[in-house]
Amino acid sequence: MPKTAKPKTRTSATAKTMPELMLDSWMLAGEASYVMWLRGIRLMAGGKLAEQEAGRMVSEKMLASMTLIPAVMAGGIGQSVESAGSRALAHYRKPVRANRRRLSR
């Protein structure tokens, strides 16, 4: 009985084609825009939650910028542009999605 090949599954950090990267970038930008809108609503409401959100925004931005280069370079110097782009998108996708979920409650 011949073995059937398992379909290859792609992790979020593997190289994608340029059209896939463009779509992923567009989707991430839309989700990030929604998060900015939700944060704006929270900040305009004022109070303790607004203060906590402002502090969280600053700390998240600093953390994201400090951890991006190591995350992208994990693929090595010889990686393709597509691979580096996939890693960068995957790096930002997690916190943006977590913020959307948290702020949507």
Side-chain angles (χ1 to χ4, degrees):
M1 197 174 210
K3 287 187 177 181
T4 57
K6 264 174 92 173
K8 291 183 180 181
T9 56
R10 195 182 290 186
T11 63
S12 60
T14 58
K16 295 183 175 187
T17 64
M18 286 308 282
E20 289 173 323
L21 281 175
M22 288 187 281
L23 180 62
D24 284 353
S25 298
W26 183 75
M27 295 294 289
L28 180 59
E31 197 166 11
S33 175
Y34 184 57
V35 167
M36 288 186 282
W37 181 77
L38 290 170
R39 280 186 158 161
I41 298 291
R42 180 158 292 178
L43 292 173
M44 285 189 292
K48 189 140 179 92
L49 279 178
E51 289 177 25
Q52 290 172 345
E53 192 61 36
R56 183 186 297 248
M57 278 185 351
V58 172
S59 65
E60 284 178 354
K61 300 292 182 236
M62 290 174 58
L63 179 65
S65 66
M66 288 187 302
T67 57
L68 176 62
I69 298 299
V72 172
M73 291 309 294
I77 300 278
Q79 67 184 326
S80 68
V81 172
E82 291 85 359
S83 179
S86 292
R87 287 178 184 279
L89 287 172
H91 175 75
Y92 283 113
R93 187 175 297 116
K94 260 188 209 175
V96 168
R97 188 160 291 149
N99 282 328
R100 181 184 50 84
R101 288 182 183 142
R102 178 180 55 80
L103 292 165
S104 295
R105 290 186 255 156

